[in-house]
Structures are given as structure tokens and as C-alpha cells.
Amino acid sequence: MNLTPMEWSAVWISLKTALTAVLISLPFAIAAGYALARIRTRWKALLETIVFLPLVLPPVVTGYLLLIAVGRHGPIGSWLDAWLGWRIAFTWMAAALASAVVSFPLMVRSIRIAFQGVDRRLEMAARNLGASRLDAFFTVSFPLAARGVIAGAVLGFARALSEFGATIMVAGNVENETQTIPLAIYSLVQRPHGVQQSWRLVFLSILLACTALAVSELLEPKRDAHDDA
Amino acid sequence: MTTLKFQCRHSASASFQLDVEFECSSPAAALFGPSGGGKTTILETIAGLRAVDCAHVELNGRVLTDTTQGVFIPLHRRRTGMVFQDHRLFPHLSVEQNLRYGLRRLSGDVKPLDFDRVVSVLDLRPLLRRNPRRISGGERQRTALGRALLSNPELLLLDEPLSALDETLKDRILSYIERVIGEWSIPMLLVSHSQAEIRRLAQWVYVIEEGRLLGEGAPEDALTQPGALGWKDALAPVNVLRIDRIEPAGDLFAGVVGGQRLLLPPEAAMRPAPVYVRFSPSSILLSRHDVQDVSARNHLRGVVRKIIELPEACFLSIDAGQIIWAEVTHQACRDLGVEPGVELVCLIKTHSLKLID
């Protein structure tokens, strides 16, 4: 399977943006997943709505909102431009941001399930032994949920790889800069004989998605499979 | 001298209210009563594991919780090490890492206990590298005890630490707890609904039922307040005698109770002292005078201290050096002319004695 330079660049940009997206959203996803697993107050419903909104919103709308926010005249975009000289819109960073936002809910969902599987009473035991809240989180809850957290990150990575709608809105479809695999397939199909030419990227997408799903399935916490008590 | 001041009012549900107040300076105290009476809630309130409506908890002059003044010391600074009913060992850590969890988090001004000493007193050496999921129930409870101990608490809270274990294991863990008390004299508060446990471990008992403190006192007295417990089957008095010395007596072995000889079942010879024997109050025959020609080999002379009359039977508390409870019918009670101060002989068959440990 010989890839053309354009295809190679799309693969590279896809991997780069997806990895960056996961790294950006993972800390927030862990915090949100943990909070949703533990909070029992009325704030939970609000938090749930905010977290899961990108899951049901059309990605194009998410992309549009991001563009408003990080565009040169947007509230965040203008601030970044003025203070750091960063212009995010229509760069690969914008593609990463779009993927991060869209894959966020999926990651939170996996991570929440992982933390729900951690017995809260173990945290209490840790606190009773002298661990602060944060200490108990990092030494007990997090290690016990780690597999689920990694599974969530892999799932998020797969979702980030397949991001199209939000990406094209906020990052455009610039070859060698923001053109990820899905955008490249779209561009190829627009050309004459493009449908025949795009099979390599289509095959690659399926392969990546299957691998990610398998890995995340493998890591998904099994309900006390080794526990004999 | 440790002092614990505890006062709490809490409505857990419409039907259950906890309203208990006590001040405790015994190094080995226990909360006794049927399940669901609020004993565990009291421990959790002391440890800060549970938020209650209204409470004041003070340990050695340090206020841990005071709802009226808005004081709530975070749980990790309370130094109230708890041994939970369900052990709660961390499954991702080895036994040794579990043991060291609290030890590593001691603040600098607290003198740590000697890790190796705790390991050897609790016989944990062979388990150190094992995963807590792959050790037995008794081993887990020993590990949990060691872990709480190594966090060097000012007060050790034991929440029915034996309830998940079977009978033989219970006795072994009990002797481990006794060893711990002997070695480090860390004050403890034990929750239990077993009289045998409390008699062995506690010097002072609070009887808790349906969220109320019904009485307190030394175990022999407090455990036998009939109104309090309703003498429900499981809670009716059990005789537990402590025998410090065993000597051969003919074919058998005998222990000494209040200067009197008590013949023991043959297994007693194998046991290191102290041994505990247990027998039911209904297995005792009473006589005003010593009788020689009966088969029962044990004749313990004692003085009646208390008579508790219940609809079904009379319970007599007889001081024969240690308190023995005897159950007799009202008829027998009347015919023998039993009243406090009367001297009686307790006839006990050697075979009705069960060794604990």
C-alpha cells in the first residue's frame, strides 16, 4: 500500500491532532468523570448537560461555536493573539481543539464508569489512615480506575481521528496543514476518479478505528474478575 | 489517660434516631447491642466518616467535631484509626504497601510504631508480598488491624472486626487483638454484639440499642441489664471464665477460678494460658449445700449478687471469684430461698465447658 505524499501528510496530521486532542482533554475528562461518579447534588445534572452536550450537538455547530470563540476577533482568540501572539483558527491546533471538544464526552463516559467501579469506602479508609482528599485520589481511586481511564483515552483518540464537521469549520481544509484523513477523503472524492483513489485512506481509517476499539475493549475494567471474595 | 467525649443527635431516617452521650476514659471500651442500634454510626461520627445533624466529639481535649461551632477536623487529621468490618484493604497494593500506607503519612511529631514489631506480633511476615485479594479472611483482618495500628492512632476504632469470620478464626483474631492491646496499649473502642468478645477485650461497656445508651459499666454488670436487651436469645448472658493457670489433676487438667478448682476438657492441656471457657447459664445446677455424690465434677462456691426475674426464667449472678450466670425456674428460685447474699454451689459438668481459643 503506497501512500501519496498528500495521503502521508493527512495521516501524520491526523495522528498529531488526535494525540494532542487527547492530551488536552484528558485532565479535564478525568476531573469531570470523577466528579460525575461522586457528586450527588443537584449540580450533577448541570455538569452532565455541559459535558455531554457535544455528543448530541451537530459537530458543525460545535465547530461554529469554537470558531466564534477562538477566531481572531473572538473572546479567546483575541486574547491569545494579544498576549501570546497565537493565532489558532485555521491551524492544526484548531483541528486538535475541535477534536478535543468533540471527543471529550466519550472520554468522560468511560472514565466515569471506571470511577463508579472504585469502592468509595476504600477512599474513606485511605482518608482514615491519614491521606488528604487529593492524596487518596492519586494513591487509591486513580490507580484503581487507571485501566478505565486509559480505555477512555483510547476511545477519545479514535473519535478524534474521525472528526470532520467541527474541524472543517474551525480549522478549514488546508493540505499539509489541517487536512486530516477524513478531510483528505472528502477532498479526494470531489476530484474526478477520486472515489477509486480514496480507498487506501478509507481502509486505513477502518483499521485505526478497529484497533482503537479493540484496545479500549481490552482495557475496559472487568467486574472484579480476579476477586475471589 | 485517654478521654473521649461523645455527644450526638442524628436522625438517620424517620424511624431511626440516634441520641447518645458519654464520656469515656477506659483504655478498652466497647459498644454493645443488637445490629442496627447505631453502634457503627457512633464510630463513623468519631472518625468523621459520616456527617450528622448535631455532634460534639472530643478526643484528649482536642475537639474533632462540634456542629454548633462549625468545627470539623478533616478525617485524615483525626488519628482515629479504624478497622472496618469489611477490612477495606487496597486491592492494588501488596500487604506490605497496605501496612505502610498510614505509616508513610504520619506527621513528623508522631513517633511511629516499629514496623517489624507489628509484623511479627501479628504474624504477617509471610504475607508481606502477597496481594490482599489472595489471602484468607483472617489474614486480611490481621492486615487491616496492623494497618490501622501503624497509622499510630490516638484511638483505635474496631467495627465488628470479627463478624465476617468463622468461629475458630474469630478466636484466633481475638488473641491477636489481645496481644496488640498488651504490647502497645493503644486505647480502643470496640463495636460488637458478642458478649464473649467484649468480656475478653473490654473493661468498660456501653449498651446501645435503638439509638440510645441504655447503660454502662464493667462488662459483668452492663451486659446483664435485662430491660435493656430484652434478653434476646443471642444477647442473653454467656458465661466466660478466664483461667490463668492450668495444672494436671489426675487424668484431667484443672484451672483455678477464685481459688477453686475447675476441671477442664482434655484439650485444655494443649493450650497456653490464659484459656477461656464458655458455658451456658442453663447448664448449671444449683445447690444450697455441697453435694458429693453427683456426677458433675465442678463444684464452685459463690455468693448471689443479683437476681433478675423474667417471665420465662430467673437469672442469678453468682460471684465465685468471677461472675457466673445461672438460669433457673421461678419455682427453683423460690424453693431454694435464693436472695442476694446467699451462698450457693454451682455444679458444672466438665463436658458443658467449651474452650475458646
Side-chain angles (χ1 to χ4, degrees):
Chain A
M1 203 165 82
N2 292 314
L3 297 183
T4 65
M6 176 230 190
E7 286 166 341
W8 270 121
S9 133
V11 169
W12 164 238
I13 291 167
S14 269
L15 293 175
K16 182 169 74 172
T17 54
L19 194 65
T20 312
V22 168
L23 291 179
I24 294 171
S25 52
L26 191 58
F28 299 101
I30 291 172
Y34 182 71
L36 285 176
R38 289 289 183 260
I39 292 178
R40 294 211 194 101
T41 59
R42 60 207 158 94
W43 297 107
K44 185 175 171 175
L46 182 69
L47 185 61
E48 259 175 338
T49 310
I50 295 172
V51 165
F52 293 120
L53 196 61
L55 200 62
V56 285
L57 219 53
V60 172
V61 174
T62 308
Y64 174 82
L65 294 174
L66 280 174
L67 186 59
I68 301 276
V70 303
R72 266 170 79 180
H73 303 294
I76 301 172
S78 59
W79 186 85
L80 286 175
D81 196 6
W83 289 89
L84 301 166
W86 285 3
R87 288 181 191 174
I88 285 189
F90 303 107
T91 66
W92 74 269
M93 280 300 289
L97 183 67
S99 301
V101 171
V102 172
S103 57
F104 183 69
L106 270 182
M107 292 171 69
V108 172
R109 224 160 59 161
S110 281
I111 292 168
R112 165 159 76 164
I113 293 169
F115 279 118
Q116 275 168 344
V118 176
D119 191 341
R120 199 198 163 111
R121 293 171 309 167
L122 289 177
E123 281 170 40
M124 290 310 207
R127 305 275 332 263
N128 181 258
L129 290 167
S132 67
R133 219 178 260 271
L134 211 60
D135 186 1
F137 174 81
F138 281 114
T139 54
V140 175
S141 318
F142 188 75
L144 286 171
R147 284 170 70 97
V149 171
I150 297 169
V154 173
L155 212 61
F157 181 74
R159 178 66 187 84
L161 277 180
S162 61
E163 176 42 36
F164 180 88
T167 308
I168 204 164
M169 287 297 285
V170 73
N173 184 2
V174 186
E175 212 180 307
N176 292 324
E177 174 62 31
T178 69
Q179 194 176 66
T180 58
I181 297 173
L183 295 173
I185 294 171
Y186 177 75
S187 301
L188 277 175
V189 171
Q190 305 297 308
R191 296 181 194 166
H193 312 294
V195 176
Q196 287 80 13
Q197 285 173 23
S198 54
W199 69 268
R200 284 186 298 267
L201 285 178
V202 169
F203 176 75
L204 212 59
S205 287
I206 294 171
L207 192 72
L208 282 170
C210 288
T211 313
L213 262 186
V215 170
S216 109
E217 202 58 36
L218 264 176
L219 289 169
E220 207 57 57
K222 288 173 193 64
R223 278 243 149 241
D224 284 333
H226 314 287
D227 205 342
D228 50 344
Chain B
M1 176 65 76
T2 303
T3 43
L4 170 71
K5 286 186 195 162
F6 181 87
Q7 186 263 315
C8 171
R9 269 204 313 279
H10 179 63
S11 307
S13 66
S15 59
F16 183 77
Q17 259 116 33
L18 183 73
D19 187 355
V20 170
E21 183 172 354
F22 62 83
E23 189 171 332
C24 173
S25 53
S26 168
L31 304 175
F32 173 75
S35 306
K39 305 185 299 293
T40 298
T41 308
I42 292 173
L43 285 202
E44 288 178 347
T45 307
I46 295 169
L49 297 168
R50 178 190 289 262
V52 289
D53 303 338
C54 175
H56 179 90
V57 181
E58 205 178 310
L59 181 60
N60 298 332
R62 198 158 57 103
V63 177
L64 298 180
T65 301
D66 189 315
T67 43
T68 51
Q69 290 175 37
V71 178
F72 188 88
I73 303 288
L75 7 178
H76 62 287
R77 301 221 189 88
R78 295 192 167 221
R79 303 195 51 215
T80 49
M82 186 125 153
V83 177
F84 298 91
Q85 215 170 29
D86 51 351
H87 68 77
R88 301 198 194 174
L89 296 175
F90 305 127
H92 60 300
L93 300 178
S94 68
V95 166
E96 174 162 6
Q97 289 167 319
N98 266 283
L99 289 169
R100 289 189 186 276
Y101 193 91
L103 186 64
R104 278 182 16 217
R105 286 165 176 79
L106 281 182
S107 66
D109 51 334
V110 179
K111 195 172 163 285
L113 298 187
D114 181 11
F115 180 80
D116 289 320
R117 186 70 196 138
V118 172
V119 167
S120 65
V121 166
L122 292 173
D123 289 335
L124 293 168
R125 180 88 47 211
L127 304 175
L128 289 178
R129 298 174 137 210
R130 308 271 295 276
N131 183 289
R133 277 190 289 217
R134 294 181 207 286
I135 61 179
S136 72
E139 291 168 341
R140 281 180 201 157
Q141 218 44 285
R142 254 152 62 202
T143 308
L145 179 62
R147 186 177 70 168
L149 203 60
L150 284 163
S151 72
N152 202 346
E154 279 179 39
L155 178 65
L156 190 60
L157 303 170
L158 303 166
D159 185 9
E160 305 209 16
L162 310 174
S163 64
L165 307 174
D166 63 42
E167 285 302 322
T168 45
L169 269 177
K170 270 185 195 173
D171 293 327
R172 295 197 46 203
I173 301 289
L174 268 174
S175 33
Y176 280 114
I177 297 176
E178 275 176 330
R179 278 198 215 173
V180 164
I181 293 172
E183 173 99 21
W184 288 285
S185 55
I186 287 183
M188 65 149 205
L189 183 58
L190 166 80
V191 158
S192 176
H193 56 241
S194 149
Q195 293 196 22
E197 276 171 46
I198 287 183
R199 293 247 176 135
R200 278 181 67 170
L201 297 176
Q203 294 167 12
W204 198 256
V205 182
Y206 298 92
V207 179
I208 310 277
E209 190 174 300
E210 288 172 357
R212 273 162 230 277
L213 177 63
L214 294 173
E216 61 177 287
E220 302 80 38
D221 298 329
L223 292 183
T224 50
Q225 304 193 1
L229 302 174
W231 297 81
K232 293 177 184 109
D233 288 342
L235 298 174
V238 173
N239 286 306
V240 177
L241 298 180
R242 178 185 166 109
I243 295 170
D244 288 312
R245 204 154 43 88
I246 301 172
E247 51 200 31
D251 305 340
L252 292 167
F253 288 86
V256 178
V257 174
Q260 309 183 69
R261 207 180 63 163
L262 183 71
L263 283 177
L264 299 172
E267 314 89 87
M270 262 66 105
R271 308 294 178 90
V275 215
Y276 293 83
V277 291
R278 155 188 194 157
F279 52 99
S280 151
S282 59
S283 67
I284 300 171
L285 278 174
L286 293 176
S287 155
R288 286 295 296 249
H289 309 285
D290 202 0
V291 279
Q292 290 311 319
D293 43 358
V294 287
S295 64
R297 291 296 83 200
N298 293 308
H299 303 200
L300 296 181
R301 203 171 274 280
V303 177
V304 176
R305 280 286 148 81
K306 219 192 278 181
I307 302 168
I308 289 161
E309 302 206 32
L310 295 174
E312 352 39 285
C314 274
F315 282 88
L316 310 178
S317 150
I318 299 161
D319 187 350
Q322 294 182 41
I323 296 288
I324 295 174
W325 282 89
E327 181 185 344
V328 289
T329 59
H330 291 280
Q331 175 97 39
C333 207
R334 270 196 305 278
D335 292 354
L336 283 174
V338 174
E339 54 186 59
V342 162
E343 204 179 87
L344 288 177
V345 179
C346 307
L347 305 173
I348 307 163
K349 291 170 71 174
T350 299
H351 273 281
S352 65
L353 300 176
K354 296 267 175 298
L355 280 176
I356 313 178
D357 192 23

